[in-house]
Amino acid sequence: MTIDKDNLLASIMESLNRIQYIKLEDIPNIDLYMDQLTTFMDRKLKKTTRHQEEDKILTKTMINNYTKNDLLPPPERKKYTKDHIILLIFIYYYKGILSIHDIQTLLGPLTDSFFHTDGELDLGDIYRQVFALEKEQVNGLKDDIVKKFEISQETFADAPPEHQEFLRLFSFICLLSYDVYVKRLLIEKVIDSMNDNKIS
């Protein structure tokens, strides 16, 4: 196995540059039927999937299950509003790392307090602020990935040469995975404290 390490790291950095989120102003201001909703989400988020030909962003079954599990309020006359779409975007990002119960804990207070409200703060405002924070994190994330990659390249100096490349890539994946593992534990701890203290 021979992998060009410089190209691999450059490809990872380029992938981070290509990560896009759905801007609030890109979300339609008109209500959408189910097929329109799945088409919109697919068009906007397809590039975030690993296997773009096969992976589904959102299906009718998924949406119905989210409604059944109280992650998403039911549609209004079979139409989904901008607030529904915002919640679905949050669900899309959370579902890879959190349980349904944890997502309910996070989204329940949002839905209860801000879904279809006319107050000073609405779901659109929350969405805009949260994703602005995430965009600001990209450069720090890039620096962290480069550092982990460099650390991994120093491992297994005594391993047989034919195994070094694999073992170093394995080290890199382990470092990234440990980071995800620890952050998931922290997220779960914060969610548990929300449950304990009934934050809303």
Side-chain angles (χ1 to χ4, degrees):
M1 168 165 64
T2 304
I3 294 175
D4 184 328
K5 290 183 275 298
D6 292 335
N7 279 347
L8 174 63
L9 195 56
S11 173
I12 291 169
M13 293 298 116
E14 184 55 35
S15 293
L16 285 174
N17 289 334
R18 281 194 314 266
I19 291 176
Q20 295 179 340
Y21 73 98
I22 300 174
K23 297 184 180 97
L24 187 64
E25 54 270 21
D26 291 340
I27 300 173
N29 283 317
I30 58 168
D31 297 347
L32 303 179
Y33 286 108
M34 177 82 79
D35 287 340
Q36 295 170 311
L37 174 60
T38 55
T39 300
F40 171 77
M41 294 288 280
D42 197 59
R43 190 166 34 91
K44 290 294 185 180
L45 294 172
K46 192 65 151 174
K47 289 182 182 174
T48 66
T49 60
R50 184 175 181 186
H51 305 288
Q52 292 184 18
E53 309 306 318
E54 306 97 48
D55 292 347
K56 297 284 186 193
I57 298 296
L58 205 55
T59 65
K60 294 175 184 181
T61 303
M62 288 178 197
I63 295 170
N64 289 331
N65 283 336
Y66 299 152
T67 302
K68 222 181 291 183
N69 286 297
D70 295 324
L71 296 178
L72 187 71
E76 299 167 4
R77 297 182 300 281
K78 297 187 178 182
K79 288 187 173 182
Y80 295 85
T81 65
K82 191 169 192 165
D83 281 0
H84 282 106
I85 296 170
I86 289 169
L87 290 173
L88 282 168
I89 295 167
F90 281 127
I91 292 167
Y92 175 74
Y93 288 118
Y94 292 148
K95 70 180 183 176
I97 54 169
L98 298 176
S99 69
I100 293 288
H101 181 265
D102 285 345
I103 299 172
Q104 286 170 331
T105 300
L106 282 175
L107 295 185
L110 280 182
T111 303
D112 293 344
S113 300
F114 304 107
F115 188 82
H116 290 171
T117 58
D118 293 325
E120 289 181 25
L121 188 66
D122 63 20
L123 273 181
D125 297 323
I126 293 166
Y127 180 83
R128 185 183 290 113
Q129 286 192 43
V130 167
F131 279 97
L133 289 174
E134 292 183 5
K135 282 179 70 176
E136 292 171 8
Q137 299 301 309
V138 172
N139 287 334
L141 184 58
K142 285 181 182 179
D143 292 342
D144 183 59
I145 288 170
V146 168
K147 185 176 178 183
K148 284 179 169 58
F149 187 78
E150 289 170 351
I151 290 169
S152 71
Q153 296 309 295
E154 301 299 319
T155 62
F156 296 105
D158 297 331
E162 67 271 20
H163 297 299
Q164 279 184 351
E165 186 172 12
F166 168 77
L167 291 171
R168 287 174 176 168
L169 287 174
F170 182 74
S171 293
F172 181 50
I173 291 169
C174 287
L175 283 171
L176 294 172
S177 299
Y178 183 70
D179 189 54
V180 172
Y181 168 74
V182 169
K183 286 178 180 171
R184 181 178 174 165
L185 289 179
L186 293 174
I187 291 167
E188 290 171 347
K189 187 162 187 60
V190 172
I191 290 171
D192 289 343
S193 75
M194 291 169 74
N195 278 327
D196 293 344
N197 296 307
K198 296 289 183 274
I199 295 174
S200 58

